[in-house]
Amino acid sequence: MQIIQGNSLLSRMRMVGVLTIHVRDAKTNRVLRTIVKRNTITFAAGDIVRALLSQRATDDTAAELQLGSMRFGTSATSPTRYDTDLLGEVSTVRRELSDAKKVNGVTGELSLRATIEATAGNGNTYREAGLFTKGVSWNGAVAGSLQCFARQVHAAIEKTGSIALEYNWTLQFTV
């Protein structure tokens, strides 16, 4: 048995991800514009993964720590690993992720998708997106233990009824 000293495998593991946004014509569904950004994983994400793996009685339950929603906002403030929330959230366009998860066993990727339909969130200029856990009382409202897993800002998108926004967030663990 080999004992790893110094940097353990877990301390060398990194989470990386890419946020891709497709701006689609509401009538034809044709992609009008695509924005691709590497995302910023928050410090809370490491704690979330640790708690899910350890399953200690003192940690939140696995259901509370599951990725539960993708949220969108208007702030252009650069993301940091210390972020705990969006800075300009448009709460009317939160999207639950319970049925949107897809794990690719070959690449080890987790892909999440959420759409802001043509009829939703109009009149806002979107500039940020975030992934959040379910929290204690997941029902679409902000729960006390809700945690920000990742946050990213992107080029401004003025939302009107003529477009729909499709957000695709891909996460991968690497060493």
Side-chain angles (χ1 to χ4, degrees), residues 96-136:
E96 189 172 341
L97 295 172
S98 62
D99 296 327
K101 296 179 184 177
K102 180 181 180 188
V103 177
N104 183 325
V106 176
T107 62
E109 292 180 345
L110 172 66
S111 297
L112 307 163
R113 183 186 315 182
T115 301
I116 302 175
E117 300 82 9
T119 58
N122 293 322
N124 293 292
T125 300
Y126 293 94
R127 292 183 176 99
E128 67 178 329
L131 289 175
F132 291 85
T133 61
K134 288 184 177 180
V136 174

Side-chain angles (χ1 to χ4, degrees), residues 16-175:
V16 296
V18 175
L19 175 64
T20 304
I21 306 153
H22 297 294
V23 179
R24 296 185 176 273
D25 181 276
K27 292 181 182 176
T28 66
N29 203 32
R30 184 174 60 91
V31 175
L32 303 173
R33 177 178 170 198
T34 298
I35 300 168
V36 179
K37 297 277 302 214
R38 287 184 61 102
N39 68 270
T40 299
I41 302 289
T42 66
F43 284 121
D47 292 337
I48 292 165
V49 171
R50 177 205 41 82
L52 285 170
L53 291 173
S54 67
Q55 298 181 14
R56 297 180 310 182
T58 57
D59 290 326
D60 294 327
T61 68
E64 295 168 7
L65 295 172
Q66 291 174 354
L67 292 176
S69 64
M70 195 179 300
R71 298 173 182 215
F72 314 95
T74 59
S75 175
T77 301
S78 296
T80 72
R81 295 197 62 207
Y82 294 97
D83 288 343
T84 58
D85 206 348
L86 293 181
L87 302 180
E89 182 182 357
V90 179
S91 61
T92 58
V93 293
R94 293 177 181 170
R95 295 298 181 255
E96 189 172 341
L97 295 172
S98 62
D99 296 327
K101 296 179 184 177
K102 180 181 180 188
V103 177
N104 183 325
V106 176
T107 62
E109 292 180 345
L110 172 66
S111 297
L112 307 163
R113 183 186 315 182
T115 301
I116 302 175
E117 300 82 9
T119 58
N122 293 322
N124 293 292
T125 300
Y126 293 94
R127 292 183 176 99
E128 67 178 329
L131 289 175
F132 291 85
T133 61
K134 288 184 177 180
V136 174
S137 58
W138 175 250
N139 63 1
V142 175
S145 66
L146 189 77
Q147 296 184 58
C148 180
F149 190 90
R151 177 177 173 262
Q152 188 52 270
V153 296
H154 56 77
I157 303 171
E158 292 184 32
K159 181 66 175 70
T160 67
S162 65
I163 62 171
L165 306 179
E166 179 186 293
Y167 285 77
N168 296 288
W169 214 309
T170 304
L171 300 169
Q172 185 177 42
F173 293 92
T174 64
V175 178

